[in-house]
Amino acid sequence: MISNFVIEHAMNSEMDPLLRALFQYIDQLSLPETPYVTGRPPIPKKSLLKCFFLKTYFSIDSLRQLVDTLNRFGCFRRICGLKEVPHLSTFSRAGKWFREQGFSAFNAQLLKDLGVRYPKIVMIDSTALRSSLYDSQARWGISTRYNWFKGYKLHLCTTAEGVILSHVFTTANRNDAAVALELFPSLKEWEIEFALGDAAYDSEKVRQMAEQTGIFFVSPINPRNGDERKDAYGRVIPSFLKTEFGKWLFRFRNSIEQTFNQLKNDGLEQPRWYGFNRYLLHVQLCILMHNFEFLL
């Protein structure tokens, strides 16, 4: 539940500066609204979106707790532009709309406003997101940090500055190289020259997919693929990574680790949560809040 300190902070200052800027940005967006015909007027999507960001920012565990919090505290209703608190089912429908349509529209506009047009170098990687052991939709996977864990993975493509261009959210048992094939098609609109990944992405299919997108993909040789590689990539890339240009280029990969650390410091990982869609909604909101901070 939300702490007394957070409640007091919200009541005294009315709105955090980050939320104030984010909510002002939402007010400027053009979101499709459900036409009002008969019955009760629909809740504006902008107000529902503000509620979702409020839930993420204050680490409110569930939509049910969000409804309870909005009912208890008028300050939260005011900053979200609500006269009355929507029913839980309304938030559930809005969550589905956001996951399937709203996020893409919001993120596209945000990246446009950030001026992301020619990111010559991008990084791809994944991070483990633990979930509740009672989560029937989560799967067991292995990571460098946690070893075996139950949960999900967030796969990202980011710029050298840390702006998130594309993401894929999967269960923890999905292979990184296989998921990378889903990331590259979404990168065609940018004129990217190089994409960098770790040894987990050493795959001919990944390199072919990147080449179809006009990107040269660089990753170290994975020892599990054979000590002595006979293919052209296996012969050339070890020498390339030892050159001054190769060393300079691959240093950019550290930036995606910093992005993951920042996201987790801001509450990306929720080890007590369960449910794929619930986690995905939270992840998408965290991504938008992360990218939005580059506008400030």
Side-chain angles (χ1 to χ4, degrees), residues 118-235:
Y118 308 115
K120 299 300 183 182
I121 304 172
V122 298
M123 281 60 62
I124 65 169
D125 205 350
S126 69
T127 191
L129 298 177
R130 295 168 295 171
S131 70
S132 168
L133 294 177
Y134 301 101
D135 186 353
S136 61
Q137 295 179 323
R139 295 292 181 267
W140 286 93
I142 192 168
S143 76
T144 304
R145 182 176 182 181
Y146 302 128
N147 200 8
W148 285 99
F149 73 101
K150 187 176 185 180
Y152 303 95
K153 278 185 179 180
L154 175 60
H155 306 258
L156 293 183
C157 174
T158 69
T159 67
E161 295 77 21
V163 177
I164 299 171
L165 300 181
S166 180
H167 81 283
V168 178
F169 182 72
T170 69
T171 51
N173 60 333
R174 291 287 304 277
N175 178 269
D176 285 357
V179 178
L181 302 178
E182 302 175 33
L183 279 173
F184 282 110
S186 62
L187 304 177
K188 291 183 178 180
E189 60 183 288
W190 292 289
E191 297 181 6
I192 300 169
E193 293 185 5
F194 294 97
L196 312 177
D198 60 24
Y201 297 96
D202 178 20
S203 164
E204 182 64 25
K205 290 183 179 179
V206 172
R207 289 190 289 274
Q208 289 177 350
M209 176 62 73
E211 186 177 351
Q212 292 173 9
T213 318
I215 300 172
F216 180 70
F217 184 72
V218 182
S219 69
I221 300 300
N222 192 329
R224 289 180 297 180
N225 292 344
D227 294 332
E228 296 184 5
R229 293 278 292 275
K230 303 299 183 182
D231 60 297
Y233 186 85
R235 294 194 306 270

Side-chain angles (χ1 to χ4, degrees), residues 75-96:
C75 60
F76 289 133
R77 294 195 297 273
R78 286 196 300 272
I79 64 179
C80 292
L82 294 173
K83 293 182 179 179
E84 59 181 19
V85 180
H87 191 268
L88 177 63
S89 60
T90 301
F91 281 114
S92 297
R93 290 192 297 271
K96 181 179 180 181

Side-chain angles (χ1 to χ4, degrees), residues 98-116:
F98 180 78
R99 291 191 304 268
E100 297 177 355
Q101 303 175 40
F103 172 83
S104 298
F106 193 120
N107 197 46
Q109 183 61 49
L110 187 53
L111 292 177
K112 180 180 179 181
D113 292 339
L114 283 172
V116 180

